[in-house]
Amino acid sequence: MRKKIVAGNWKMNNDLSATEELVAKLQKKLPETDAEVMVAPAYTNLFTAFEALRQSPIEVIAQNMHFAENGAYTGEISAEMLKSVGVQTVILGHSERRAYFGETDDILAKKVDAALAKDMTVMFCFGEELNDRKSDNHFKVVESQLKNALFHLESSAFKHVILAYEPVWAIGTGETATPEQAQEMHKFIRETLAKQYNDTVAESTSILYGGSVKPTNAKEIFSQPDVDGGLIGGAALKASDFIAIIEAI
Ligand code: 13P
């Protein structure tokens, strides 16, 4: 059975005290759930969040990392550094990293390998831009993103891979994919996994949806058979909204 997951990507928001505050609220109000709950604070706040959530089922994850083990990469963070502050899971391939920081499929393939080599779990993000969807190329784009950054992996590696489909046109725009659009793409992704690997990989890999998930639309999106949860941006910054989204799963 694949895992249900609700993850909050805080992006470049929340300083140390805002992190402490939000984490305390989440810990206090976390509802009973069989879903895994994760939060991704900024690098500078990972350790504080990890310490505060030690006794909580909420997992603290990172938003990015570099592929090198160490060295002259000013401003970068390695897998070992993340692990040393308690982080076991890292988001890779977010569309903001691709768009603003030049992360290509090739770079992402290296990052995926580096994280898995250190026994971390990768939450791999991908998704088409508006033009791709308008020109009916969305399936092709998604398939090539998966192929170029992930499909060199052995099937056994997928035990440590979570997929997050995030159509770029739905991120931070208030425009959400309809539940039918999300289901259609998630089903396609699962079929692509089955074709590339096998049914076990396809059926056991969690595929999250991300892009303007809110308390008002979460339930309908999460009720789609191939949607295993969500990667939440804006709505994860407000404890009551994030809790409501967890309740929706
Ligand atoms: P929003 O929920 O703000 O659209 O962001 C989604 C996202 O990018 C999560 O990684």
Side-chain angles (χ1 to χ4, degrees):
M1 258 286 281
R2 54 190 183 254
K3 287 180 271 190
K4 287 183 182 177
I5 299 168
V6 179
N9 175 9
W10 295 359
K11 309 191 179 183
M12 198 173 73
N13 295 293
N14 290 338
D15 63 10
L16 186 61
S17 66
T19 296
E20 285 169 335
E21 224 173 281
L22 183 49
V23 148
K25 281 188 195 162
L26 293 178
Q27 187 169 18
K28 206 159 112 197
K29 302 214 177 106
L30 186 71
E32 278 282 319
T33 176
D34 57 359
E36 291 190 9
V37 178
M38 305 175 174
V39 292
Y43 286 141
T44 49
N45 304 321
L46 286 172
F47 186 59
T48 301
F50 175 75
E51 286 287 302
L53 292 171
R54 246 181 213 285
Q55 308 298 327
S56 157
I58 301 174
E59 183 183 349
V60 176
I61 70 174
Q63 299 176 17
N64 182 33
M65 58 165 247
H66 196 264
F67 52 76
E69 285 200 24
N70 51 46
Y73 297 99
T74 302
E76 292 293 335
I77 300 278
S78 71
E80 285 292 2
M81 289 172 184
L82 294 178
K83 287 181 70 177
S84 73
V85 294
V87 172
Q88 279 298 335
T89 301
V90 61
I91 298 172
L92 293 176
H94 194 281
S95 63
E96 288 147 18
R97 300 293 319 166
R98 296 175 192 256
Y100 308 142
F101 302 98
E103 295 198 4
T104 59
D105 289 343
D106 287 351
I107 292 174
L108 292 170
K110 286 194 202 175
K111 290 190 174 203
V112 166
D113 289 347
L116 294 175
K118 296 292 176 188
D119 297 322
M120 293 184 77
T121 293
V122 170
M123 184 181 287
F124 184 76
C125 303
F126 55 97
E128 82 283 1
E129 294 182 24
L130 186 57
N131 279 343
D132 304 321
R133 186 161 279 266
K134 279 191 174 155
S135 57
D136 213 20
N137 276 323
H138 45 300
F139 293 115
K140 222 185 277 172
V141 167
V142 159
E143 190 172 14
S144 84
Q145 288 171 327
L146 292 172
K147 183 167 163 263
N148 296 341
L150 284 187
F151 285 176
H152 61 287
L153 297 174
E154 306 258 330
S155 61
S156 58
F158 275 79
K159 283 195 198 85
H160 307 287
V161 174
I162 299 160
L163 298 180
Y165 167 62
E166 299 204 305
V168 179
W169 49 272
I171 295 178
T173 58
E175 194 171 332
T176 326
T178 62
E180 293 74 27
Q181 284 173 320
Q183 169 56 24
E184 180 185 42
M185 183 57 88
H186 283 227
K187 184 165 175 273
F188 171 77
I189 296 162
R190 220 177 282 291
E191 285 167 359
T192 304
L193 287 177
K195 206 160 62 175
Q196 177 70 23
Y197 294 99
N198 52 52
D199 285 350
T200 313
V201 170
E203 287 308 316
S204 57
T205 302
S206 297
I207 310 176
L208 315 186
Y209 169 80
S212 298
V213 177
K214 308 269 179 259
T216 44
N217 60 24
K219 203 167 188 159
E220 221 186 333
I221 294 171
F222 293 161
S223 64
Q224 300 303 311
D226 286 297
V227 176
D228 304 310
L231 180 54
I232 322 298
L237 296 172
K238 202 170 149 204
S240 56
D241 283 356
F242 193 56
I243 296 289
I245 291 170
I246 297 166
E247 278 165 350
I249 209 168

